[in-house]
Amino acid sequence: MPQHGPVYCETPAILDAGFPVEPWNAYSSLVIVFFGLASLVLVIRRAGQAYELYALCALLIFNGIGSVLWHGLRARWALAFDVFPALVFLVCTMFLWSRRIFSLWKSIAVIVVFFLLLELQRLLGLDLTRIGIWVALAPAVIVVALWLIFGTAALSRKAARFGSLSLAFALAGLAFRTFDRATCAYLPFGSHFLWHILLSFAAFLGVLTLIVLTELKASGAGNDRQDVAVAA
């Protein structure tokens, strides 16, 4: 079977093996499902009326299932099932986070800035997609995440810490994903599996950040500061 999609240390030269084609990458993807379910339990217990957070948890679970199928089967349709839920999760998380600390129009501006930064890369001729789609997204994600973290700190330092940790673990995971092929000589199965573990934990922390901000709004704590932030 011909190769298509990203190639990892674990990817065999000829795709004629049975499931899982990439054992470490496939089984580590179950961690994504675990953190999706853990997020769901946390949402039910602490933010049961925030129904939009259920959608985030579902996206994370679907991403994990898609990742298991992609690394287990190396089928083109499975790659789409892996990538698209993750991309939607990312954009939705940014918007839902911004809605908890900014006005609607400023929240829309956050998303617009994110896509403008991606377009700026293209205009500058920075084709980071050659390294990987997530590397290409990273600069815009960092800028928007820092914007949200600083905005959150005015309302809740606890939420800001969770948000900061989420960004840190995501970047650490991206490093292991990016340098996977460079580790083949030392780890035959590569370091891509650490991307699954660290990024899914980062996603869990992102959901936790939203839960803390949801609780803050529901309790009425920090209303004065929130009014100031929304008016800004």
Side-chain angles (χ1 to χ4, degrees):
M1 183 184 300
Q3 292 281 5
H4 60 268
V7 175
Y8 315 97
C9 279
E10 257 201 322
T11 309
I14 301 176
L15 302 180
D16 59 355
F19 184 94
V21 176
E22 300 168 3
W24 279 79
N25 292 344
Y27 292 134
S28 63
S29 298
L30 292 172
V31 176
I32 307 173
V33 178
F34 168 79
F35 277 119
L37 293 172
S39 297
L40 180 60
V41 170
L42 208 58
V43 169
I44 293 172
R45 289 181 176 178
R46 295 178 53 177
Q49 299 302 311
Y51 298 112
E52 67 278 15
L53 297 186
Y54 290 96
L56 279 187
C57 297
L59 285 168
L60 190 55
I61 293 169
F62 289 147
N63 171 227
I65 295 171
S67 186
V68 171
L69 294 173
W70 161 238
H71 292 292
L73 300 172
R74 292 288 304 191
R76 192 179 302 274
W77 62 267
L79 177 59
F81 191 12
D82 176 16
V83 173
F84 287 128
L87 290 174
V88 176
F89 178 92
L90 173 63
V91 175
C92 288
T93 298
M94 290 189 296
F95 181 73
L96 293 176
W97 188 349
S98 63
R99 281 299 291 128
R100 281 160 171 74
I101 60 175
F102 297 141
S103 65
L104 175 59
W105 292 109
K106 196 168 183 179
S107 300
I108 293 173
V110 168
I111 303 303
V112 170
V113 167
F114 174 74
F115 285 105
L116 285 177
L117 289 172
L118 296 179
E119 179 63 16
L120 181 61
Q121 284 185 35
R122 188 188 68 81
L123 294 175
L124 294 175
L126 300 175
D127 187 13
L128 297 179
T129 56
R130 291 178 299 178
I131 305 174
I133 183 175
W134 298 107
V135 174
L137 291 171
V141 169
I142 292 171
V143 170
V144 169
L146 290 176
W147 184 3
L148 293 173
I149 289 167
F150 284 121
T152 300
L155 296 173
S156 169
R157 292 185 178 180
K158 180 180 180 181
R161 284 195 295 269
F162 283 135
S164 300
L165 286 172
S166 177
L167 177 61
F169 276 100
L171 293 177
L174 181 60
F176 283 113
R177 185 189 194 283
T178 304
F179 297 110
D180 170 72
R181 299 294 297 279
T183 65
C184 297
Y186 311 99
L187 292 172
F189 45 82
S191 61
H192 186 81
F193 75 99
L194 292 171
W195 156 255
H196 296 155
I197 296 170
L198 294 174
L199 187 67
S200 57
F201 183 54
F204 172 78
L205 289 172
V207 174
L208 184 55
T209 301
L210 297 181
I211 290 174
V212 172
L213 289 173
T214 301
E215 290 175 330
L216 181 68
K217 184 177 180 179
S219 68
N223 278 344
D224 292 340
R225 288 177 294 167
Q226 188 172 28
D227 291 341
V228 171
V230 169

